[in-house]
């Protein structure tokens, strides 16, 4: 190949590798490895065939230029230009015979086919992967190169370039070492080894922040996946070597049956063929394994295919440019360069995103790793130059520039400290106090009706709805404290302002008239609320509960119908641009009128038809990963969630995903933490996204009333009947009776120091593809019980610095040490594994120890309670708040009262990834005892702070989260809904 084309290939190979290394999940759909592999193989093969045809034409027309591919400057071989007859002869002696060539093609195709399957398995169970072993590829290749190609060479005057130093013994020794290294056939092995070692150290930098995904100890994956990683390494080495052998075999036209590109194309085509057959077979005979092949649940199949084609073109560019670079620069060189790039770039990215103390990083390992890589590379180029002295050695200034660039790139890592001068929780609690004061002023400003109307006009653009005076009086009589802060209602209803009242009524009718929708209606006529006839019996209690809330104020409501979501999961997700458009339209309207509700409203609402209709706008996505279609689509196009093509790798914590809402390991912004847009890794972290039990949603603006919703959804929130009806209630008893023992709620300081949780595996359905490994409940139970023997068995905790008592350092500790230093948990699934299918039932049974359920009232024995989402919101949270125990809340779902609670003042928030669980518990409970490294800890816990939060949560919930608050919230919501659905809505309003 010509020089400039060679440089181009090399540049393209490095560039594509860098892009891949920088943002793998933005570039590739790793969740569809088979599609991607087949597409890439086919594209690459086609391009190679084209190249082969072109070069054959050239060869025919220009016979004097025999063979473009004769020059194979493997490391140690002479350059193409310097080709002599003798060297041609030597190349010839390495080349394979025809039979061996065909055998190599077949073997390489088999290896490639297996390699793709290995990759697929590795991606499926990436939570079990250990540190990458792929970094040893250059070393293995250097060994092969040494055994097969490198020869002893006589070195002429090695070392002269260094000038005349005095010939001390040291100098002699250095000279002899140098010449023996240069002359030996093993000359590249030390440099390849050092490079691999450097890469190995870089890949170890981020092991301090593992993810909490469950790699089941009881499954074979724990053993198999690391072995597969090694297998992948050996297959890659084999493939690289086969690439080279085929190149040499194809280099000499007289002996070869295939030209170089044709032999490579043959390998790729064979492998693509085998995979197509496998895919077709699985598709037709094994519907249960369909999922890893199917593209059925793509937002748009054409778009998905187009995106796959682009990815495959990109990957093909990488493959072909790397293949041709091997011809030009030699295999050792290319494998070293690509491995270095593929490790260096994520390494630098990590260093820059880990500038703060968390996650901790060893600067010694960092320094060593980059020094090794730099040293290995410069040694390599020195040897190369010594053997082919055509190239001048780089000038000192160039070295200086490279060194400076490295220093700048590494600066944040080198300057990084794992120590903090304050504990983030102290700061967050202090902040919470300020937020609380602001909230007090914001939420209950009005002392009389006139002020309430004025505040409404100021905040919500327009007059309050008719009946506002009755509502205010109602709130007064019920002694409700929050009278001004109803931003949730405003935000929930805003997009529906852009929809005409008749359409809202029609949509409500459409939804409740088709039972498949799992949406049922409540009708209010003449001040009486009634559940509509066609409700599924199992859900009747829920709507009757809703009616009982409404009854307390229904006589003041105009006639209307309401559509209630019977499922726990959210229902309406407007795409980002649609929502923006509706909100803009809505903001152009205003409610300036003063009239009262229309009198003929009843006739405007159609009767429920006796025969159910079958039309629906809802799509069923139960059991499927809903993130991309239902969460990412609600995000701005520039957001991380939209840009990411596939879920993240699951073995590491995604640092960029937590940065926006965290201070170290702790949640600093509970509201932002609910936003999926900067957190594409959520796709694998919650049952609602991974595989919900019932998921029927729509992208159209439909007014559905739900008890809770995930950020990005546009359901209208209402206070759940679950809490209003006391389905679970805070109900401690101090004395035992005949049929029931006592369940007292002692003072905080008298409770057991333990973190307690009981529940079922009901967050989502794990239907056989291992979705449970990412669900929050499962991760929590595993983290609390089974850290000791799992893959990621070390935990990173923020503990006082051993030298400065005022400082805190992120320290790693083995999982088995946690109970020894006093961090006790009692976290279990009860009864049996539910919502599972296929092998996931057994897998979970083997992994988790199941216990029999305790009475709900026994929670109050423990100081620390965990509150986790189920399929929807957690109904237990309000009782937890009311108790004297301290709730730790982990949640994706948000309820009507979200804005009323201040995290770190009324409860303790935890990130869904749970990486701060132990540090948070350590802060409150203290750390006492020796860990398994023999370090002694004696850190007094912040029990006073814990009690403070527990008590303020308790008091506050009695103030703003009572049943009266639910009624008042609901009343106001329904007045607003009444106005929205009134044909004269622009004229309606109340002024005092
Ligand atoms: C440095 O790297 C070595 C080898 O990977 C590892 O064993 C060691 O724990 C690391 N040191 C620190 C402080 O992380
Ligand atoms: C996980 O921990 C629980 C509770 O200690 C135990 O019953 C279960 O056997 C553990 N699982 C495995 C696979 O060791």
């Amino acid at each position: 190949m010509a020089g400039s084309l060679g440089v181009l290939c090399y540049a393209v190979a490095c560039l594509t590798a860098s892009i891949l290394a920088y943002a793998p999940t933005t570039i590739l759909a790793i969740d569809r490895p088979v599609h991607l592999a087949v597409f890439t193989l086919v594209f690459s093969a086609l391009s190679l065939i084209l190249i082969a045809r072109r070069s054959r034409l050239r060869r025919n027309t220009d016979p004097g230029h025999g063979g473009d591919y004769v020059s194979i400057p493997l490391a140690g071989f002479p350059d193409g230009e310097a080709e002599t007859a003798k060297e041609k002869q030597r190349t010839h002696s390495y080349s394979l015979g025809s039979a061996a060539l065909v055998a190599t093609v077949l073997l390489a195709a088999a290896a490639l086919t297996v390699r793709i399957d290995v990759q697929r398995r590795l991606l499926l169970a990436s939570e079990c992967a250990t540190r990458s072993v792929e970094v040893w590829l250059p070393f293995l290749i250097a060994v092969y190169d040494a055994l097969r190609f490198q020869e002893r060479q006589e070195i002429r005057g090695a070392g002269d370039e260094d000038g005349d130093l005095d010939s001390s013994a040291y100098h002699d020794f250095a000279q002899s070492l140098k010449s023996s290294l240069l002359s030996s056939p093993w000359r590249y092995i030390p440099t390849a080894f050092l490079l691999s070692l450097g890469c190995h150290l870089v890949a170890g930098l981020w092991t301090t922040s593992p993810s909490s995904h469950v790699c089941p100890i009881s499954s074979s994956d724990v053993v198999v996946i690391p072995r597969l990683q090694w297998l992948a390494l050996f297959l890659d080495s084999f493939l690289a070597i086969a690439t080279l052998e085929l190149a040499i075999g194809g280099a000499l036209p007289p002996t070869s049956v295939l030209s170089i590109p044709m032999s490579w194309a043959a390998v790729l085509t064979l492998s693509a063929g085998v995979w197509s057959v496998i895919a077709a077979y699985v598709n037709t005979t094994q519907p249960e394994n369909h999922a890893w092949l199917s593209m059925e649940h793509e937002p748009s199949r054409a778009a998905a295919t187009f995106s796959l084609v682009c990815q495959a073109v990109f990957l093909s560019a990488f493959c072909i440019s790397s293949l041709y670079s091997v011809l030009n620069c030699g295999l050792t060189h290319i494998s070293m360069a690509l491995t270095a790039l593929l490790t260096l770039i994520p390494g630098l990215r990590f260093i820059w995103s880990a500038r703060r103390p968390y996650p901790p990083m060893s600067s010694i390992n960092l320094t060593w790793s980059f020094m090794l890589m730099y040293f290995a590379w410069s040694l390599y180029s020195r040897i190369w130059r010594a053997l082919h002295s055509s190239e001048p050695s780089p000038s000192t200034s160039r070295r200086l520039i490279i060194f400076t660039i490295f220093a700048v790139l590494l600066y944040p890592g080198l300057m990084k400290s794992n120590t903090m001068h304050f504990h983030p929780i102290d700061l967050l609690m202090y902040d919470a106090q300020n937020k609380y004061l602001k909230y007090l002023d914001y939420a209950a400003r009005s002392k009389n009706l006139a002020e309430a109307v004025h505040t409404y006009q100021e905040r919500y653009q327009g007059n309050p709805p008719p009946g506002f005076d009755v509502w205010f009086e109602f709130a007064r009589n019920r002694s409700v404290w929050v009278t001004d802060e109803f931003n949730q209602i405003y935000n929930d209803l805003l997009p529906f302002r852009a929809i005409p009242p008749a359409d809202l009524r029609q949509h409500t009718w459409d939804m409740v008239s088709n039972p498949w929708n799992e949406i049922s209606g409540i009708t209010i006529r003449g001040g009486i609320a009634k559940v509509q006839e066609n409700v599924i019996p199992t859900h009747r209690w829920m709507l009757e509960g809703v009616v009982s809330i409404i009854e307390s104020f229904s006589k003041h409501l105009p006639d209307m119908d309401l559509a209630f979501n019977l499922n726990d999961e959210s229902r309406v997700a407007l795409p980002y641009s649609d929502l923006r458009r509706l909100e803009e339209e809505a903001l152009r309207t205003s409610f300036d009128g003063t009239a009262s509700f229309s009198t003929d409203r009843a006739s405007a609402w159609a009767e429920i038809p006796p025969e159910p209709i079958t039309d629906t706008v809802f799509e069923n996505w139960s059991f499927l990963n809903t993130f991309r279609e239902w969460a990412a689509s609600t995000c701005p196009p520039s957001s991380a969630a939209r840009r990411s093509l596939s879920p993240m790798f699951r073995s590491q914590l995604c640092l960029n995903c937590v940065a926006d809402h965290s201070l170290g390991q702790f949640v600093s912004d509970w509201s932002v933490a609910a936003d999926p847009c900067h957190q594409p890794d959520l796709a694998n972290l919650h049952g609602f996204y991974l595989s919900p039990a019932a998921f029927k949603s729509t992208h159209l603006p439909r007014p559905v009333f739900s008890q809770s919703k995930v950020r990005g959804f546009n359901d209208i929130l209402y206070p759940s009947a679950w809490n209003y009806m006391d389905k679970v209630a805070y109900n401690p008893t101090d004395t035992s009776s005949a049929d029931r023992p006592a369940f007292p709620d002692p003072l905080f300081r008298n409770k057991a120091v333990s973190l307690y949780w009981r529940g079922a595996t009901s967050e989502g359905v794990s239907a056989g593809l291992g979705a449970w490994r990412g669900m929050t409940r499962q991760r929590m139970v595993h983290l609390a019980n089974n850290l000791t023997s799992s893959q990621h068995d070390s935990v990173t905790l923020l503990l006082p610095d051993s030298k400065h008592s005022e400082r805190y350092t992120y320290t790693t500790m083995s999982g088995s040490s946690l109970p020894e230093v006093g961090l006790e948990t009692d976290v279990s699934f009860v009864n049996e594994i539910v919502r599972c299918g296929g092998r996931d039932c057994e897998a979970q049974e083997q992994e988790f120890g199941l216990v029999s359920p305790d009475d709900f009232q026994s929670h109050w024995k423990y100081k620390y309670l965990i509150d986790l989402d189920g399929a929807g919101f957690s109904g237990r949270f309000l009782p937890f708040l009311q108790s004297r125990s301290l709730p730790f809340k982990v949640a994706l779902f948000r309820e009507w009262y979200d804005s009323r609670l201040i995290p770190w003042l009324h409860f303790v928030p935890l990130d869904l990834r749970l990486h701060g669980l132990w540090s948070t518990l350590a802060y409150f409970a203290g750390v006492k005892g020796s860990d398994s490294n023999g370090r002694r800890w004696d850190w007094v816990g912040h029990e006073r702070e814990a009690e403070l939060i527990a008590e303020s949560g308790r008091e506050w919930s009695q103030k703003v989260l009572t049943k009266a608050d639910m009624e008042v919230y609901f009343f106001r919501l329904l007045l607003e809904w009444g106005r929205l659905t009134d044909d004269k809505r622009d004229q309606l309003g109340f002024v005092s």
Side-chain angles (χ1 to χ4, degrees):
M1 283 215 291
S4 60
L5 197 56
V7 171
L8 181 70
C9 275
Y10 188 63
V12 170
C14 289
L15 187 68
T16 44
S18 309
I19 296 175
L20 272 181
Y22 184 73
T25 53
T26 316
I27 301 294
L28 298 182
I30 54 169
D31 54 340
R32 275 192 305 274
V34 175
H35 288 93
L36 189 57
V38 172
F39 273 56
T40 307
L41 293 178
V42 170
F43 282 163
S44 308
L46 285 178
S47 330
L48 285 169
I49 291 169
L50 281 180
I51 294 173
R53 286 198 50 167
R54 203 184 126 255
S55 64
R56 187 170 319 127
L57 282 179
R58 266 230 315 260
R59 196 178 297 168
N60 289 344
T61 52
D62 184 11
H65 227 85
D68 288 30
Y69 303 102
V70 176
S71 69
I72 305 173
L74 309 166
F77 269 42
D79 266 351
E81 286 84 31
E83 193 92 27
T84 64
K86 183 168 149 265
E87 275 152 355
K88 211 175 229 174
Q89 184 65 37
R90 221 174 55 184
T91 315
H92 198 165
S93 74
Y94 287 119
S95 100
L96 303 169
S98 301
L101 198 65
V102 173
T104 311
V105 167
L106 292 178
L107 272 179
L112 186 56
T113 310
V114 176
R115 179 67 179 86
I116 291 170
D117 194 49
V118 168
Q119 192 60 33
R120 187 181 69 80
R121 283 164 199 264
L122 287 177
L123 289 173
L124 275 181
S126 60
E127 59 273 335
C128 293
T130 54
R131 188 200 290 207
S132 168
V133 295
E134 204 65 34
V135 292
W136 295 104
L137 186 70
F139 176 61
L140 292 185
I141 285 176
V143 170
Y144 180 83
D145 185 35
L147 292 176
R148 178 139 158 79
F149 300 110
Q150 299 293 337
E151 288 173 346
R152 172 160 287 282
Q153 284 199 0
E154 285 319 311
I155 304 300
R156 326 133 252 180
D160 282 356
E161 55 179 274
D162 283 354
D164 273 324
L165 295 169
D166 62 319
S167 43
S168 61
Y170 167 74
H171 187 240
D172 286 348
F173 174 72
Q175 280 304 323
S176 71
L177 192 68
K178 193 165 177 185
S179 56
S180 60
L181 182 67
L182 279 177
S183 60
S184 152
W186 300 93
R187 60 184 77 89
Y188 288 115
I189 290 188
T191 78
F193 178 78
L194 291 179
L195 186 93
S196 291
L197 188 64
C199 292
H200 175 76
L201 283 179
V202 174
L205 288 179
W206 48 84
T207 47
T208 49
S209 53
S211 78
S212 54
H213 280 270
V214 177
C215 173
I217 309 162
S218 55
S219 79
S220 56
D221 281 352
V222 177
V223 193
V224 171
I225 294 297
R227 284 188 194 159
L228 284 181
Q229 288 181 283
W230 281 103
L231 179 62
L233 169 64
F234 289 119
L235 287 173
D236 283 343
S237 317
F238 177 76
L239 282 169
I241 290 164
T243 301
L244 184 65
E245 294 291 357
L246 289 177
I248 301 167
L252 297 167
T255 56
S256 73
V257 284
L258 292 166
S259 65
I260 301 175
M262 282 312 278
S263 61
W264 285 340
V267 173
L268 302 181
T269 315
L270 278 174
S271 179
V274 173
W275 267 105
S276 308
V277 171
I278 295 176
Y281 175 75
V282 171
N283 232 354
T284 50
T285 62
Q286 300 180 343
E288 72 277 12
N289 282 332
H290 197 76
W292 58 268
L293 287 170
S294 102
M295 310 222 309
E296 240 161 56
H297 283 278
E298 280 301 328
S300 134
R301 222 189 264 214
T305 312
F306 177 72
S307 148
L308 262 183
V309 168
C310 295
Q311 296 165 40
V313 168
F314 179 85
L315 271 190
S316 304
F318 170 66
C319 293
I320 292 178
S321 58
S322 316
L323 284 174
Y324 277 94
S325 301
V326 168
L327 292 184
N328 235 32
C329 317
L331 189 55
T332 312
H333 180 105
I334 290 299
S335 66
M336 281 178 60
L338 293 187
T339 306
L341 274 180
L342 288 170
T343 324
L344 203 65
I345 288 175
L348 288 175
R349 210 181 161 184
F350 174 78
I351 291 168
W352 280 82
S353 64
R355 288 190 301 272
R356 278 148 292 202
Y358 182 79
M361 183 169 65
S362 147
S363 12
I364 298 176
N365 277 13
L366 174 75
T367 318
W368 268 112
S369 61
F370 283 87
M371 267 172 46
L372 279 175
M373 284 168 85
Y374 182 78
F375 179 67
W377 195 258
S378 57
L379 187 63
Y380 173 80
S381 14
R382 268 170 177 253
I383 298 177
W384 174 270
R385 273 197 310 276
L387 294 175
H388 321 267
S389 42
S390 56
E391 232 183 283
S393 64
S395 62
T396 321
S397 65
R398 199 172 123 193
R399 280 193 198 144
L400 207 65
I401 291 173
I402 293 178
F403 188 79
T404 316
I405 292 177
F406 256 100
V408 170
L409 287 177
L410 294 184
Y411 180 78
L414 298 173
M415 289 300 121
K416 181 188 153 88
S417 145
N418 300 334
T419 300
M420 300 190 91
H421 293 269
F422 60 92
H423 197 292
I425 296 184
D426 288 333
L427 185 74
L428 293 168
M429 283 182 66
Y430 176 79
D431 259 9
Q433 198 63 38
N434 291 339
K435 282 192 193 133
Y436 174 67
L437 294 177
K438 280 208 191 94
Y439 186 80
L440 286 187
D441 186 44
Y442 186 79
R445 178 171 291 175
S446 312
K447 303 199 176 41
N448 53 43
L449 179 61
E451 281 180 30
V453 170
H454 182 70
T455 315
Y456 186 105
Q457 287 165 335
E458 242 176 34
R459 287 184 190 167
Y460 306 126
Q461 290 119 40
N463 293 332
F468 190 74
D469 49 342
V470 185
W471 173 82
F472 191 78
E473 196 53 34
F474 181 81
R476 272 295 179 75
N477 290 342
R478 306 286 274 123
S479 313
V480 159
W481 185 80
V482 177
T483 49
D484 292 306
E485 194 271 320
F486 292 90
N487 293 352
Q488 186 75 48
I489 294 182
Y490 174 77
N491 291 328
D492 286 355
L493 293 180
L494 185 62
F496 297 104
R497 272 210 211 177
I499 297 169
D503 288 359
L504 288 177
R505 297 194 300 264
Q506 181 64 36
H507 293 331
T508 302
W509 184 89
D510 287 343
M511 291 190 292
V512 299
S513 299
N514 181 354
W516 181 87
N517 288 339
E518 289 161 357
I519 288 178
S520 285
I522 286 182
T523 319
I524 299 169
R525 294 288 182 277
I528 296 182
K530 259 196 5 238
V531 181
Q532 279 169 359
E533 295 303 322
N534 60 348
V535 178
I536 312 166
T538 47
H539 287 76
R540 217 182 162 85
W541 75 264
M542 184 178 136
L543 289 190
E544 278 168 357
V546 176
V547 165
S548 72
I549 313 181
I550 298 179
E551 263 170 359
S552 59
F553 53 84
S554 60
K555 59 176 177 291
H556 308 296
L557 293 176
D559 292 349
M560 60 171 91
D561 287 358
L562 304 157
F564 285 92
N565 172 15
L566 298 182
N567 296 337
D568 293 322
E569 293 84 353
S570 320
R571 307 299 294 264
V572 184
L574 297 181
Y576 179 77
S577 50
D578 291 5
L579 180 63
R580 285 290 88 78
R581 186 174 48 74
L582 285 178
E583 286 185 344
E584 271 163 30
E585 266 176 54
L587 288 175
R588 268 183 254 127
T589 68
S590 67
F591 292 136
D592 296 330
T594 53
S596 200
F597 290 113
S598 309
T599 46
D600 54 346
R601 288 179 54 107
S603 61
W605 298 90
E607 288 289 321
I608 299 297
E611 282 300 306
I613 63 166
T614 51
D615 284 353
T616 185
V617 294
F618 293 94
E619 293 172 49
N620 189 358
W621 278 62
S622 307
F623 297 18
L624 296 170
N625 195 311
T626 59
F627 187 82
R628 220 156 6 129
E629 174 71 5
W630 297 99
S633 64
T634 67
C635 295
S638 61
S639 64
R642 276 283 278 280
R643 278 187 286 117
S644 138
L645 285 178
S646 49
M648 298 292 177
F649 299 101
R650 285 170 310 215
S651 57
Q652 290 299 319
L653 180 72
C654 168
L655 291 172
N656 291 328
C657 306
V658 297
D660 286 359
H661 61 258
S662 301
L663 186 60
Q665 281 179 317
F666 310 93
V667 179
S668 60
D669 194 327
W670 179 243
S671 170
V672 174
D675 185 359
C677 296
H678 65 286
Q679 315 181 63
D681 64 334
L682 284 185
N684 284 328
L685 288 169
H686 195 287
F688 175 73
Y689 288 138
L690 274 161
S691 174
F695 191 99
K696 292 179 178 171
S697 284
T698 178
H699 287 307
L700 298 171
R702 291 291 179 272
V704 181
F705 288 77
S706 291
Q707 314 171 65
S708 69
K709 67 176 170 184
V710 170
R711 184 72 69 85
F713 281 79
N714 304 94
D715 303 39
I716 302 167
L717 291 183
Y718 72 92
S720 166
W722 183 269
N723 292 121
Y724 191 83
M725 304 284 281
D726 290 331
K727 277 278 177 177
V728 279
Y730 169 65
N731 190 14
T733 43
D734 284 330
T735 50
S736 56
S737 60
D739 52 346
R740 205 156 170 270
F743 293 108
D745 184 7
L747 289 178
F748 187 82
R749 62 191 77 105
N750 299 332
K751 291 173 188 265
V753 188
S754 187
L755 184 66
Y756 183 79
W757 185 81
R758 286 291 180 275
T761 53
S762 53
E763 187 179 305
V765 181
S766 200
L769 293 172
W772 64 276
R773 296 176 177 196
M775 292 181 192
T776 315
R777 288 185 166 199
Q778 274 86 341
R779 285 185 291 116
M780 174 66 91
V781 173
H782 205 256
L783 204 59
N785 296 310
N786 304 98
L787 261 185
T788 46
S789 40
S790 74
Q791 291 273 304
H792 306 299
D793 68 342
S794 68
V795 194
T796 301
L797 292 160
L798 185 63
L799 294 176
D801 197 278
S802 46
K803 296 186 206 82
H804 307 269
S805 57
E806 298 291 285
R807 297 187 185 172
Y808 300 89
T809 305
Y810 282 103
T811 315
T812 48
M813 200 183 270
S814 79
S816 56
S817 304
L818 294 171
E820 280 154 38
V821 298
L823 298 176
E824 297 280 348
T825 58
D826 185 352
V827 172
S828 290
F829 286 123
V830 295
N831 290 338
E832 52 171 357
I833 303 292
V834 296
R835 297 200 171 171
C836 62
R839 48 202 154 87
D840 285 349
C841 297
E842 211 192 324
Q844 291 185 77
E845 264 155 36
Q846 286 170 0
E847 194 63 19
F848 300 114
L850 298 168
V851 300
S852 46
D854 292 339
D855 192 293
F856 181 70
Q857 304 303 328
S858 45
H859 276 94
W860 325 133
K861 266 196 289 209
Y862 305 94
K863 281 192 173 163
Y864 308 104
L865 304 176
I866 304 177
D867 182 70
L868 296 172
D869 286 341
F873 78 112
S874 158
R876 304 172 205 177
F877 185 57
L878 289 186
F880 284 2
L881 271 183
Q882 289 155 7
S883 77
R884 294 200 169 91
S885 304
L886 176 62
F888 288 13
K889 187 170 176 64
V890 188
L892 187 62
F893 284 90
R894 296 291 191 264
E895 302 85 348
W896 63 278
Y897 53 73
D898 191 40
S899 63
R900 299 191 177 194
L901 292 177
I902 316 278
W904 297 111
L905 176 65
H906 301 128
F907 67 96
V908 172
L910 279 182
D911 192 282
L912 271 166
R913 298 160 191 81
L914 305 176
H915 56 288
L917 173 72
W918 296 110
S919 291
T920 310
L921 187 59
Y923 173 86
F924 291 114
V927 175
K928 259 195 207 65
S930 305
D931 65 19
S932 56
N933 293 346
R935 286 173 298 190
R936 269 209 66 77
W937 298 100
D938 190 7
W939 186 31
V940 183
H942 294 70
E943 296 247 320
R944 221 167 49 84
E945 280 80 356
E947 184 164 9
L948 198 79
I949 300 180
E951 280 305 316
S952 60
R954 179 179 164 89
E955 273 168 34
W956 188 241
S957 69
Q958 284 158 7
K959 189 161 183 184
V960 302
L961 299 176
T962 60
K963 290 188 184 179
D965 282 291
M966 301 181 195
E967 292 161 6
V968 166
Y969 183 95
F970 214 161
F971 189 178
R972 179 153 164 162
L973 172 65
L974 292 191
L975 287 179
E976 296 279 7
W977 175 245
R979 173 161 67 178
L980 271 188
T981 52
D982 199 300
D983 282 326
K984 292 192 302 175
R985 72 181 176 193
D986 296 336
Q987 298 150 36
L988 301 195
F990 175 86
V991 281
S992 54

